[in-house]
Amino acid sequence: MSAGRSPSAGSGRGLADTFRRLIAITGPIGVAHYMAEANARYYAQADPFGAGGDFITAPEVSQMFGELIGLWLADMWQRAGRSGRPYYVELGPGRGTLARDALRAMKQAGLEPQVHFVETSEALRERQLAAVPQAQFHSDLSNIPFEGPILLVANEFLDALPVRQLLRTGEGWREVMVATDGERFVGVPGAQPMDAALPEDRRNLPEGTLIETSPAAAAIVHEVAARLVEQGGAALFIDYGHAAPRTGSTFQAVRRHEKVDPFEAPGEADLTAHVDFATLAQVAQAQGCRWLGTVAQGTWLRALGIEQRAAALGASASQHRDALASAMHRLTDAEEMGELFKVMGLAAPAWPDGAGFHPV
Ligand code: SAH
């Protein structure tokens, strides 16, 4: 990094150069490869959250988000018979805000779980430790203890995991690869036939159809589901995505609150793809795990009482009433985060239904 350049600009350019050299040697690389390396670089160096960063996540909008998640988990644990000493596990905890708010709400409900964070970014681990000093860190799920029930949360985690894109061309299915065109990166169909990678019922989709899959997201949900079945517990996956299967590219980049071209500056923007909740629910159920439902975030938060929570907080601090109303609107309104974001609930076979997933 040279003086006068921001760390993000310096190392981002470095990654673009690395990709260019790699592509010159090996030929085009898969979108999943590109996305995985770009996001690893992005999260390693940055604190992207909040008004001054690249994007704002729900826990950074309001404490009510983490509190309601904490109460949901405590409610599940209580109705499951307060079994064992549970573990609070969070995947990709960002600044640690959600965990801090959820743990405070759980404590008020009589639950003080051990805390385990799955986080690969050293820079963000430091932020998370400042917010939740008792947290223990892991790079993946494999070393989370095996003996007690797991209460797991992942907010805007799965959308950061790499996706593979398959395109139906005139010659059959091909993987979308990242190639160079001068200095630019562009998506091109790969040379290898990929028909065998598609389920039979999807192979006949028309030419031009693009299908995105995330083997990494499926692997995470598979592992979480297996743990819930084995140890007991419940999990919430919250992300923007679709509850029914769909086609088309959702690969995108966000930088300073604006959508930008995902091929423009690898390592400097947050790369995401919509989460395919339909497939993930099937993956979990194939493990024998209970799928509690996948509902819109606004519906779920309202069912959990966000309106009453905002009113209670506003009553004790009237100067914050407007800010609370606008935060609630942001989290629940269909035009904001309420509809595009979905909440998927999973639980161990013997655990109860989850609040907010069924009409009352
Ligand atoms: N949950 C937070 C942050 C979402 S951003 C919030 O809602 O504010 C994605 C988070 O996942 C970051 O903490 C990032 O460092 C982490 N992350 C991304 N890819 C990861 C991976 N493969 N393994 C572990 N953590 C990852």
Side-chain angles (χ1 to χ4, degrees):
M1 192 199 322
S2 63
R5 236 198 231 168
S6 80
S8 133
S11 24
R13 244 188 296 277
L15 185 60
D17 283 344
T18 306
F19 279 146
R20 273 186 214 105
R21 254 179 268 144
L22 181 66
I23 292 166
I25 298 165
T26 67
I29 57 173
V31 166
H33 178 168
Y34 176 92
M35 185 173 172
E37 290 207 15
N39 268 352
R41 179 72 64 99
Y42 177 73
Y43 285 111
Q45 70 195 357
D47 173 8
F49 315 104
D54 290 322
F55 58 97
I56 296 189
T57 57
E60 305 298 332
V61 170
S62 168
Q63 68 185 70
M64 295 186 288
F65 187 75
E67 287 170 351
L68 290 171
I69 286 171
L71 290 175
W72 187 91
L73 294 171
D75 172 62
M76 288 298 281
W77 177 69
Q78 276 159 1
R79 287 188 295 118
R82 298 174 151 262
S83 63
R85 173 126 198 262
Y87 297 94
Y88 175 85
V89 178
E90 191 173 331
L91 311 182
R95 285 179 168 174
T97 309
L98 193 167
R100 194 193 58 209
D101 294 336
L103 289 164
R104 187 178 60 245
M106 281 190 251
K107 190 171 177 187
Q108 279 163 9
L111 171 59
E112 290 188 71
Q114 269 192 29
V115 180
H116 292 266
F117 287 167
V118 175
E119 175 60 66
T120 40
S121 161
E122 283 299 329
L124 288 172
R125 281 185 181 198
E126 277 176 37
R127 294 284 312 230
Q128 293 157 14
L129 198 59
V132 183
Q134 73 272 39
Q136 299 177 48
F137 289 92
H138 307 269
S139 300
D140 56 47
L141 281 163
S142 62
N143 288 320
I144 305 283
F146 277 88
E147 61 273 18
I150 286 181
L151 302 172
L152 182 139
V153 183
N155 186 60
E156 290 211 47
F157 172 75
L158 297 174
D159 70 10
L161 299 181
V163 289
R164 179 155 88 162
Q165 293 190 329
L166 297 169
L167 177 69
R168 175 81 197 257
T169 69
E171 286 91 51
W173 289 91
R174 295 285 190 271
E175 181 169 357
V176 179
M177 310 294 284
V178 182
T180 46
D181 174 14
E183 285 289 288
R184 293 169 55 236
F185 295 105
V186 289
V188 296
Q192 284 285 72
M194 294 296 288
D195 299 66
L198 274 106
E200 250 169 74
D201 60 337
R202 309 207 82 187
R203 272 182 217 162
N204 285 331
L205 290 166
E207 192 177 328
T209 305
L210 187 142
I211 290 181
E212 256 172 14
T213 63
S214 179
I220 292 275
V221 170
H222 176 108
E223 200 172 347
V224 168
R227 288 295 201 105
L228 295 179
V229 171
E230 178 74 22
Q231 295 172 241
L236 292 171
F237 288 94
I238 306 162
D239 236 303
Y240 47 102
H242 35 280
R246 50 161 286 166
T247 60
S249 174
T250 67
F251 183 44
Q252 64 172 40
V254 172
R255 192 176 181 192
R256 293 186 203 105
H257 306 274
E258 302 267 336
K259 272 195 191 180
V260 295
D261 175 0
F263 293 135
E264 196 183 283
E268 290 180 49
D270 178 43
L271 300 185
T272 66
H274 284 201
V275 173
D276 174 3
F277 282 109
T279 297
L280 297 179
Q282 283 173 6
V283 167
Q285 286 170 299
Q287 292 298 302
C289 187
R290 289 191 69 197
W291 170 58
L292 304 174
T294 302
V295 300
Q297 175 173 297
T299 310
W300 191 77
L301 290 173
R302 276 192 288 268
L304 259 61
I306 192 168
E307 280 146 354
Q308 293 83 335
R309 182 73 190 129
L313 287 169
S316 56
S318 59
Q319 72 278 22
H320 293 145
R321 227 172 265 160
D322 288 351
L324 284 161
S326 103
M328 187 174 78
H329 184 259
R330 180 112 193 238
L331 293 174
T332 59
D333 194 81
E335 300 292 311
E336 304 263 356
M337 301 175 82
E339 193 64 46
L340 183 56
F341 280 76
K342 308 285 188 298
V343 184
M344 178 173 81
L346 300 178
W351 279 47
D353 281 346
F357 287 102
H358 297 280
V360 278

